[in-house]
Amino acid sequence: MPARASYANGPSSTPLLGETIGACLRRIAAEHPDREALVVRHQSVRWTYAELEARVARLASGLLRRGIAAGDRVGIWAPNGAEWVLAQYATATVGAILVNVNPAYRTHELAYALRQSGVRLLLSAARFKTSDYRAMVDEVAGGLPALEEAIVLGDPAWEALAGTDVDAAAVAERLASLDPDDPINIQYTSGTTGFPKGATLTHHNILNNGLSVGALCGYGAEDRICVPVPFYHCFGMVMGNLAALAHGACIVVPAPAFEPAATLEAVAAERCTSLYGVPTMFIAMLGDPGFATHDLSSLRTGIMAGSPCPTEVMRRVVDEMHMAEVSICYGMTETSPVSTQTRRDDPLERRVGTIGRVGPHLEVKVVDPEGRTVPRGEVGELCTRGYSVMRGYWEDPEKTAEAIDAAGWMHTGDLATMDEQGYLNVVGRAKDMVIRGGENVYPREVEEFLYTHPDIADAQVVGVPDERYGEELCAWIQVREGAAPLDADGVRAFCADRLAHFKVPRYVVCGEPFPMTVTGKVQKNLMRERSVELLGLSAAAATA
């Protein structure tokens, strides 16, 4: 009898939503007008669905009055806050494509994202942590011909835009003209070619992914979801905001960015039923000095994603945080993002040893290098197909064709196995992506940037094991002839103001010969092994 193929699909009795995000907001607000929709603790915001819809209508009217057309790009560069949520729903209501800009970006990355996507209007925080957003926007604006205006959140221009008198007829007319398959969001993923690629997602992509993820978490209108993960990423804006919207639940935002104590306080004070985070966030919360003082008994579920969860951490999350139904999710920005998920009744070993089973209305398969589906238990590349697959990379048909094949399968670049019950396990990465604390970093992007250093002749970047973040970046450097040796401090100083902090190499190896094949190709696997030896990371490697 032939072995079963590594293929599975997700049958579901729950139909997909055939509506736009704006239409969904109107429907849910009509069904649950007095239920809390959004609580932002650091801003003292507490809005019902009726209040949220009314504020979205004001901002949508302001965008229309400014001449924003369907398909125009509007950027948002800010940490988590009420304004981010308003921008997400208002742009969707008028059909503008929201371009998410990572709050950690510096000028080099900001300018690229705004230029490549052709952002016409940028909504920006004034500053965040050590970043002066206003100054950075001023620095790059001259090289962005499409950018007509940058509005700083909280400034009078923002208050005027967000407080525009509602033009109900104009908003309704625009909303009625939109289609669920219209692109509505661009999210930049670190690129293997040296520059990020703009994954372009539709209403249908992300609204239905939120619906499906929430359904597998068992969400209903009474749920309160604590979201300390960033909105600029699919984890926050889809698995958080849109999962809540699709089920009429409430989003609770503890702080502008993750803070363990603030998150624990929010869960206890708001009686949250669900909590999100990458494993390092849960580790930080469990290790917080005040952990035992918080009543977390309202929790029942949540999502852990971004990187594998150690067994002991998962056990403590279930036992000490009361998250008996916590779910593991796997996916990528290009798939809106979730493709596989563990179920509420899965045993602990499934949640720490697998990435779950295929989600509703989706297909997955594991293929060999020739594209043939391998038997169950064999290693191959994980592919996914269905409603969640992006429209493509923004204005990059060549890269889109490399990622999505003629049959509509998205090739993830991850190596995986599928067992007899359909559970998948990622065993490696076909690409060289490094996952640092849940942030995806492609070494080539960092390498291309390092090449701009006047003293660097060649640079190679690999991931090395780290006990806290899972992986850290290590840059191997060859300096130009006659240049002084570079150390880690010098390289980090060069990167600090122009690359996001998680892309700045923690380690630098200078002057070591690059391990090469006979054909002259750098052997990154040997480079990683040698880095562990040179940097004394054997202990971290043993726990990875």
Side-chain angles (χ1 to χ4, degrees), residues 278-356:
V278 299
T280 51
M281 290 182 177
F282 284 98
I283 291 168
M285 286 185 278
L286 289 164
D288 187 80
F291 176 79
T293 67
H294 298 287
D295 178 6
L296 308 179
S297 60
S298 60
L299 286 173
R300 67 170 179 84
T301 188
I303 293 176
M304 204 179 299
S307 58
C309 179
T311 303
E312 186 54 34
V313 174
M314 177 64 81
R315 198 179 305 280
R316 291 190 64 194
V317 166
V318 170
D319 294 343
E320 298 175 39
M321 301 183 78
H322 308 280
M323 295 170 62
E325 298 176 10
V326 65
S327 181
I328 297 293
C329 290
Y330 164 86
M332 57 197 306
T333 304
E334 291 89 336
T335 55
S336 302
V338 177
S339 298
T340 71
Q341 186 172 350
T342 58
R343 290 358 185 213
R344 289 183 283 164
D345 58 352
D346 278 339
L348 190 72
E349 56 268 23
R350 289 291 192 187
R351 297 188 225 185
V352 296
T354 78
I355 55 170

Coordinates of all heavy atoms in Angstrom, one line a residue, residues 278-356:
V278 N 5.2 36.3 21.8 CA 6.2 35.3 21.4 C 6.8 34.7 22.6 O 6.6 35.2 23.7 CB 7.3 36.0 20.5 CG1 6.7 36.6 19.3 CG2 8.1 37.1 21.4
P279 N 7.4 33.5 22.5 CA 7.9 32.9 23.7 C 8.7 33.7 24.7 O 8.6 33.7 25.9 CB 8.8 31.7 23.2 CG 8.1 31.4 21.9 CD 7.7 32.7 21.3
T280 N 9.6 34.6 24.1 CA 10.4 35.5 25.0 C 9.5 36.4 25.8 O 9.9 36.8 27.0 CB 11.4 36.3 24.2 OG1 10.7 37.0 23.1 CG2 12.5 35.4 23.6
M281 N 8.4 36.8 25.3 CA 7.5 37.7 26.1 C 6.9 36.9 27.3 O 6.8 37.4 28.4 CB 6.3 38.2 25.2 CG 6.7 39.2 24.2 SD 5.3 39.8 23.3 CE 6.0 41.0 22.2
F282 N 6.5 35.7 27.0 CA 5.9 34.9 28.1 C 7.0 34.6 29.2 O 6.8 34.6 30.4 CB 5.3 33.6 27.6 CG 4.0 33.8 26.9 CD1 3.9 33.9 25.6 CD2 2.8 33.8 27.7 CE1 2.6 34.1 25.0 CE2 1.6 34.0 27.1 CZ 1.5 34.2 25.7
I283 N 8.2 34.3 28.7 CA 9.4 34.1 29.7 C 9.6 35.3 30.5 O 9.7 35.2 31.7 CB 10.6 33.8 28.9 CG1 10.5 32.4 28.2 CG2 11.9 33.8 29.8 CD1 11.6 32.1 27.2
A284 N 9.5 36.5 29.9 CA 9.7 37.8 30.7 C 8.5 38.0 31.7 O 8.8 38.4 32.8 CB 9.7 39.0 29.7
M285 N 7.3 37.7 31.3 CA 6.2 37.8 32.2 C 6.3 36.8 33.4 O 6.1 37.2 34.5 CB 4.9 37.6 31.5 CG 4.5 38.8 30.6 SD 2.9 38.7 29.8 CE 3.2 37.6 28.4
L286 N 6.6 35.6 33.1 CA 6.8 34.6 34.1 C 7.9 35.0 35.1 O 7.9 34.6 36.3 CB 7.1 33.2 33.5 CG 5.9 32.5 32.8 CD1 6.4 31.4 32.0 CD2 4.9 32.0 33.9
G287 N 8.9 35.7 34.6 CA 10.1 36.1 35.4 C 9.9 37.5 36.0 O 10.8 37.9 36.8
D288 N 8.8 38.1 35.8 CA 8.6 39.5 36.4 C 8.5 39.4 37.9 O 7.9 38.5 38.4 CB 7.3 40.1 35.8 CG 7.2 41.5 36.2 OD1 7.8 42.4 35.6 OD2 6.4 41.8 37.2
P289 N 9.2 40.3 38.6 CA 9.2 40.2 40.1 C 7.8 40.2 40.7 O 7.6 39.7 41.8 CB 10.0 41.5 40.5 CG 10.9 41.8 39.3 CD 10.1 41.4 38.1
G290 N 6.9 40.9 40.0 CA 5.5 41.0 40.6 C 4.6 40.0 40.0 O 3.4 40.1 40.2
F291 N 5.1 39.0 39.3 CA 4.2 38.0 38.7 C 3.1 37.4 39.6 O 2.0 37.4 39.3 CB 5.0 36.9 38.1 CG 4.2 35.8 37.4 CD1 3.6 36.0 36.2 CD2 3.9 34.6 38.1 CE1 2.8 35.0 35.6 CE2 3.2 33.6 37.5 CZ 2.6 33.8 36.3
A292 N 3.6 37.0 40.8 CA 2.7 36.3 41.7 C 1.6 37.2 42.3 O 0.6 36.7 42.8 CB 3.5 35.7 42.8
T293 N 1.7 38.5 42.2 CA 0.7 39.4 42.7 C -0.4 39.7 41.8 O -1.4 40.3 42.2 CB 1.4 40.8 43.1 OG1 1.8 41.4 41.9 CG2 2.6 40.6 44.0
H294 N -0.4 39.2 40.6 CA -1.4 39.5 39.6 C -2.4 38.3 39.5 O -2.0 37.1 39.4 CB -0.8 39.8 38.2 CG 0.0 41.0 38.2 ND1 -0.4 42.2 38.2 CD2 1.4 41.1 38.1 CE1 0.6 43.1 38.2 NE2 1.7 42.4 38.1
D295 N -3.7 38.6 39.5 CA -4.7 37.6 39.4 C -5.0 37.4 37.9 O -5.6 38.2 37.2 CB -6.0 38.1 40.1 CG -7.2 37.1 39.9 OD1 -6.9 36.0 39.4 OD2 -8.3 37.4 40.3
L296 N -4.5 36.3 37.4 CA -4.6 35.9 36.0 C -5.7 34.9 35.7 O -5.7 34.3 34.6 CB -3.3 35.5 35.4 CG -2.0 36.4 35.7 CD1 -0.8 35.8 35.1 CD2 -2.3 37.8 35.2
S297 N -6.5 34.6 36.7 CA -7.5 33.5 36.6 C -8.5 33.7 35.5 O -9.2 32.7 35.2 CB -8.2 33.3 38.0 OG -8.9 34.5 38.3
S298 N -8.7 34.9 35.0 CA -9.6 35.1 33.9 C -9.2 34.5 32.6 O -9.9 34.3 31.7 CB -9.9 36.6 33.7 OG -8.7 37.3 33.4
L299 N -7.8 34.3 32.5 CA -7.3 33.8 31.2 C -7.7 32.3 31.0 O -7.8 31.6 31.9 CB -5.8 33.8 31.2 CG -5.1 35.2 31.0 CD1 -3.6 35.1 31.3 CD2 -5.4 35.8 29.7
R300 N -8.0 32.0 29.7 CA -8.2 30.6 29.4 C -7.5 30.2 28.1 O -7.2 29.1 27.9 CB -9.7 30.4 29.1 CG -10.3 31.1 27.9 CD -11.7 30.6 27.6 NE -12.2 31.4 26.4 CZ -11.9 31.1 25.2 NH1 -11.2 30.0 24.9 NH2 -12.4 31.8 24.2
T301 N -7.1 31.2 27.3 CA -6.5 30.9 26.0 C -5.5 32.0 25.6 O -5.2 32.9 26.4 CB -7.6 30.7 24.9 OG1 -6.9 30.3 23.7 CG2 -8.2 32.1 24.5
G302 N -5.0 31.9 24.4 CA -4.0 32.9 23.9 C -3.3 32.3 22.8 O -3.5 31.1 22.3
I303 N -2.3 33.0 22.2 CA -1.6 32.6 21.1 C -0.1 32.8 21.4 O 0.3 33.9 21.8 CB -2.0 33.3 19.8 CG1 -3.4 32.9 19.4 CG2 -1.0 32.9 18.7 CD1 -3.9 33.6 18.2
M304 N 0.7 31.8 21.1 CA 2.1 31.9 21.2 C 2.7 31.6 19.7 O 2.3 30.6 19.1 CB 2.7 30.9 22.2 CG 4.1 31.3 22.7 SD 4.7 30.1 23.9 CE 3.5 30.2 25.2
A305 N 3.4 32.5 19.2 CA 3.9 32.3 17.8 C 5.3 33.0 17.7 O 5.7 33.7 18.6 CB 2.9 32.9 16.8
G306 N 5.9 32.8 16.6 CA 7.2 33.5 16.3 C 8.4 32.7 16.3 O 9.3 32.8 15.6
S307 N 8.4 31.7 17.3 CA 9.5 30.8 17.4 C 9.0 29.6 18.3 O 8.0 29.8 19.0 CB 10.7 31.4 17.9 OG 10.5 32.0 19.2
P308 N 9.7 28.5 18.3 CA 9.3 27.4 19.1 C 9.3 27.7 20.6 O 10.1 28.5 21.1 CB 10.3 26.3 18.8 CG 10.9 26.7 17.5 CD 10.9 28.2 17.4
C309 N 8.3 27.1 21.3 CA 8.2 27.3 22.7 C 8.8 26.2 23.5 O 8.5 25.0 23.3 CB 6.7 27.5 23.1 SG 6.5 27.8 24.9
P310 N 9.8 26.5 24.5 CA 10.3 25.4 25.3 C 9.2 24.7 26.1 O 8.3 25.4 26.6 CB 11.3 26.1 26.2 CG 11.6 27.4 25.4 CD 10.4 27.8 24.7
T311 N 9.3 23.4 26.3 CA 8.3 22.6 27.0 C 8.0 23.2 28.4 O 6.8 23.3 28.8 CB 8.7 21.2 27.1 OG1 9.0 20.7 25.8 CG2 7.7 20.3 27.8
E312 N 9.0 23.5 29.2 CA 8.8 24.0 30.5 C 8.1 25.3 30.5 O 7.3 25.6 31.4 CB 10.2 24.1 31.3 CG 10.0 24.5 32.7 CD 9.1 23.5 33.5 OE1 9.1 22.3 33.2 OE2 8.4 24.0 34.5
V313 N 8.4 26.2 29.6 CA 7.7 27.5 29.5 C 6.2 27.3 29.2 O 5.3 27.9 29.8 CB 8.3 28.4 28.4 CG1 7.5 29.7 28.2 CG2 9.8 28.8 28.8
M314 N 5.9 26.4 28.2 CA 4.5 26.1 27.9 C 3.8 25.5 29.1 O 2.7 25.9 29.4 CB 4.5 25.1 26.7 CG 3.1 24.7 26.4 SD 2.0 26.1 25.8 CE 2.6 26.2 24.1
R315 N 4.5 24.6 29.8 CA 3.9 24.0 31.0 C 3.5 25.1 32.1 O 2.4 25.1 32.6 CB 4.8 23.0 31.6 CG 4.1 22.0 32.6 CD 5.1 21.0 33.1 NE 5.8 20.3 32.1 CZ 5.4 19.3 31.4 NH1 4.1 18.9 31.7 NH2 6.1 18.7 30.5
R316 N 4.4 26.1 32.2 CA 4.2 27.1 33.2 C 3.1 28.1 32.7 O 2.3 28.6 33.5 CB 5.4 27.9 33.5 CG 6.5 27.2 34.3 CD 7.6 28.1 34.7 NE 7.1 29.1 35.6 CZ 7.8 30.2 36.0 NH1 9.0 30.4 35.5 NH2 7.3 31.0 36.9
V317 N 3.0 28.3 31.4 CA 1.9 29.2 30.9 C 0.6 28.6 31.1 O -0.4 29.2 31.5 CB 2.2 29.4 29.4 CG1 0.9 30.0 28.7 CG2 3.4 30.4 29.2
V318 N 0.5 27.2 30.9 CA -0.8 26.5 31.2 C -1.1 26.5 32.6 O -2.3 26.8 33.0 CB -0.7 25.1 30.6 CG1 -1.9 24.3 31.0 CG2 -0.6 25.2 29.1
D319 N -0.1 26.2 33.5 CA -0.4 26.0 34.9 C -0.5 27.3 35.7 O -1.4 27.5 36.5 CB 0.7 25.1 35.5 CG 0.7 23.7 35.0 OD1 -0.4 23.3 34.4 OD2 1.7 23.0 35.1
E320 N 0.4 28.2 35.5 CA 0.5 29.4 36.3 C -0.2 30.6 35.8 O -0.5 31.5 36.5 CB 2.0 29.7 36.6 CG 2.8 28.6 37.3 CD 4.3 29.0 37.4 OE1 4.6 30.1 37.6 OE2 5.1 28.0 37.3
M321 N -0.5 30.6 34.4 CA -1.2 31.7 33.8 C -2.6 31.3 33.4 O -3.3 32.1 32.8 CB -0.4 32.2 32.6 CG 1.0 32.7 33.0 SD 1.9 33.4 31.6 CE 1.2 35.1 31.5
H322 N -3.0 30.1 33.7 CA -4.3 29.6 33.5 C -4.7 29.5 32.1 O -5.9 29.4 31.7 CB -5.4 30.5 34.3 CG -5.0 30.7 35.7 ND1 -5.3 29.7 36.7 CD2 -4.4 31.7 36.4 CE1 -4.9 30.2 37.9 NE2 -4.3 31.3 37.7
M323 N -3.8 29.4 31.2 CA -4.0 29.4 29.7 C -4.1 27.9 29.2 O -3.3 27.5 28.4 CB -3.0 30.2 29.0 CG -3.1 31.7 29.4 SD -1.7 32.7 28.7 CE -1.9 32.5 27.0
A324 N -5.1 27.2 29.7 CA -5.2 25.8 29.4 C -5.4 25.5 27.9 O -5.0 24.5 27.4 CB -6.3 25.1 30.2
E325 N -6.0 26.5 27.2 CA -6.3 26.4 25.8 C -5.3 27.1 24.9 O -5.6 27.4 23.7 CB -7.7 26.8 25.5 CG -8.8 26.0 26.3 CD -10.2 26.5 26.1 OE1 -10.4 27.4 25.2 OE2 -11.1 26.0 26.8
V326 N -4.2 27.5 25.4 CA -3.2 28.3 24.6 C -2.9 27.6 23.3 O -2.7 26.4 23.2 CB -1.9 28.6 25.4 CG1 -1.2 27.4 25.7 CG2 -1.1 29.6 24.6
S327 N -2.8 28.4 22.2 CA -2.6 27.9 20.9 C -1.2 28.3 20.3 O -0.7 29.4 20.5 CB -3.7 28.4 20.0 OG -3.6 27.9 18.7
I328 N -0.6 27.4 19.5 CA 0.6 27.7 18.8 C 0.2 28.0 17.3 O -0.6 27.2 16.7 CB 1.6 26.5 18.8 CG1 2.1 26.3 20.2 CG2 2.8 26.8 17.9 CD1 2.9 27.4 20.8
C329 N 0.7 29.0 16.7 CA 0.4 29.4 15.3 C 1.6 29.4 14.5 O 2.7 29.9 15.0 CB -0.4 30.7 15.3 SG -2.0 30.7 15.9
Y330 N 1.5 29.1 13.3 CA 2.6 29.2 12.3 C 2.2 29.8 11.1 O 1.0 29.6 10.6 CB 3.2 27.8 12.0 CG 4.1 27.8 10.7 CD1 5.4 28.2 10.8 CD2 3.5 27.6 9.5 CE1 6.2 28.2 9.7 CE2 4.3 27.7 8.3 CZ 5.7 28.0 8.4 OH 6.5 28.1 7.3
G331 N 3.0 30.7 10.5 CA 2.7 31.3 9.2 C 3.7 32.3 8.8 O 4.8 32.3 9.3
M332 N 3.3 33.1 7.9 CA 4.2 34.2 7.4 C 3.4 35.3 6.9 O 2.2 35.2 6.6 CB 5.1 33.6 6.3 CG 4.4 33.1 5.1 SD 5.4 32.0 4.0 CE 6.8 33.1 3.6
T333 N 4.0 36.5 6.9 CA 3.3 37.7 6.4 C 2.5 37.4 5.1 O 1.4 37.9 4.9 CB 4.2 38.9 6.3 OG1 4.9 39.1 7.5 CG2 3.5 40.2 5.9
E334 N 3.2 36.7 4.2 CA 2.7 36.5 2.9 C 1.4 35.6 2.9 O 0.7 35.5 1.9 CB 3.7 35.8 2.0 CG 4.9 36.7 1.6 CD 6.1 36.7 2.6 OE1 5.8 36.3 3.8 OE2 7.2 37.0 2.2
T335 N 1.1 35.0 4.0 CA -0.1 34.2 4.1 C -1.0 34.7 5.2 O -1.8 33.9 5.8 CB 0.3 32.7 4.4 OG1 1.1 32.6 5.6 CG2 1.0 32.1 3.2
S336 N -1.0 36.0 5.5 CA -2.0 36.7 6.2 C -2.2 36.6 7.7 O -3.2 37.2 8.2 CB -3.3 36.5 5.5 OG -3.3 36.8 4.2
P337 N -1.5 36.0 8.6 CA -0.3 35.2 8.4 C -0.5 33.7 8.7 O 0.4 32.9 8.3 CB 0.6 35.8 9.5 CG -0.3 36.1 10.6 CD -1.6 36.5 10.0
V338 N -1.5 33.3 9.3 CA -1.5 31.9 9.9 C -2.0 30.8 8.9 O -3.0 31.0 8.3 CB -2.4 31.8 11.2 CG1 -2.5 30.4 11.7 CG2 -1.9 32.8 12.2
S339 N -1.2 29.8 8.8 CA -1.5 28.6 8.0 C -1.8 27.4 8.8 O -2.6 26.6 8.4 CB -0.3 28.3 7.0 OG -0.1 29.4 6.1
T340 N -1.1 27.2 9.9 CA -1.3 26.1 10.8 C -1.5 26.5 12.2 O -0.9 27.5 12.6 CB -0.2 25.0 10.7 OG1 1.0 25.5 11.3 CG2 0.1 24.7 9.2
Q341 N -2.2 25.7 13.0 CA -2.5 26.1 14.4 C -2.8 24.9 15.2 O -3.5 24.0 14.7 CB -3.7 27.1 14.4 CG -4.0 27.7 15.7 CD -5.1 28.8 15.6 OE1 -5.4 29.2 14.5 NE2 -5.6 29.3 16.7
T342 N -2.4 24.9 16.4 CA -2.8 23.8 17.3 C -4.2 24.1 17.8 O -4.7 25.2 17.8 CB -1.8 23.6 18.5 OG1 -1.8 24.9 19.3 CG2 -0.4 23.3 18.1
R343 N -4.9 23.0 18.2 CA -6.3 23.1 18.6 C -6.3 23.2 20.2 O -5.4 22.8 20.9 CB -7.1 22.0 18.1 CG -7.4 21.8 16.6 CD -7.0 22.9 15.7 NE -7.4 22.7 14.4 CZ -6.8 23.0 13.3 NH1 -5.6 23.5 13.3 NH2 -7.3 22.8 12.1
R344 N -7.5 23.7 20.7 CA -7.7 23.9 22.1 C -7.5 22.6 22.9 O -7.1 22.7 24.1 CB -9.0 24.5 22.4 CG -9.2 26.0 21.9 CD -10.5 26.5 22.3 NE -11.6 26.0 21.4 CZ -12.9 26.1 21.7 NH1 -13.3 26.6 22.8 NH2 -13.8 25.7 20.8
D345 N -7.8 21.5 22.3 CA -7.8 20.3 23.1 C -6.5 19.5 22.8 O -6.4 18.3 23.2 CB -9.0 19.4 22.9 CG -9.2 19.1 21.4 OD1 -8.5 19.7 20.5 OD2 -10.1 18.3 21.1
D346 N -5.6 20.0 22.1 CA -4.3 19.3 21.8 C -3.5 19.1 23.0 O -3.4 20.0 23.9 CB -3.5 20.1 20.7 CG -3.9 19.8 19.3 OD1 -4.6 18.8 19.1 OD2 -3.6 20.6 18.4
P347 N -2.9 17.9 23.2 CA -2.1 17.7 24.4 C -0.8 18.6 24.3 O -0.4 19.1 23.3 CB -1.7 16.2 24.3 CG -1.9 15.9 22.9 CD -3.0 16.7 22.4
L348 N -0.2 18.8 25.5 CA 1.0 19.7 25.6 C 2.1 19.3 24.6 O 2.7 20.2 24.0 CB 1.5 19.6 27.1 CG 2.6 20.6 27.4 CD1 1.9 22.0 27.5 CD2 3.2 20.3 28.8
E349 N 2.3 18.0 24.4 CA 3.4 17.6 23.6 C 3.2 18.0 22.1 O 4.1 18.3 21.4 CB 3.7 16.1 23.6 CG 2.5 15.2 23.3 CD 1.7 14.8 24.5 OE1 1.8 15.6 25.5 OE2 1.0 13.8 24.5
R350 N 1.9 18.2 21.7 CA 1.6 18.6 20.4 C 1.9 20.1 20.3 O 2.3 20.6 19.2 CB 0.2 18.4 20.0 CG -0.2 16.9 19.8 CD 0.4 16.4 18.5 NE -0.1 15.1 18.1 CZ 0.4 14.4 17.1 NH1 1.4 14.8 16.5 NH2 -0.1 13.2 16.8
R351 N 1.7 20.9 21.4 CA 1.9 22.3 21.3 C 3.4 22.7 21.4 O 3.7 23.8 21.0 CB 1.1 23.0 22.5 CG -0.4 22.7 22.3 CD -1.1 23.5 23.4 NE -2.2 22.7 24.0 CZ -3.0 23.2 24.9 NH1 -3.0 24.4 25.2 NH2 -3.9 22.4 25.4
V352 N 4.2 21.9 21.9 CA 5.6 22.2 22.0 C 6.4 21.5 20.9 O 7.5 21.9 20.5 CB 6.2 21.9 23.4 CG1 5.6 22.8 24.4 CG2 6.1 20.5 23.7
G353 N 5.8 20.4 20.3 CA 6.6 19.6 19.4 C 6.2 19.8 18.0 O 6.8 19.2 17.0
T354 N 5.1 20.5 17.7 CA 4.6 20.7 16.4 C 4.1 22.2 16.2 O 4.0 23.0 17.1 CB 3.4 19.8 16.0 OG1 2.2 20.3 16.6 CG2 3.6 18.4 16.5
I355 N 3.8 22.5 14.9 CA 3.1 23.8 14.6 C 1.7 23.6 14.3 O 1.0 24.5 13.7 CB 3.9 24.5 13.5 CG1 3.9 23.6 12.2 CG2 5.3 25.0 13.9 CD1 4.4 24.3 11.0
G356 N 1.1 22.5 14.7 CA -0.3 22.3 14.6 C -0.7 21.7 13.2 O 0.1 21.2 12.5

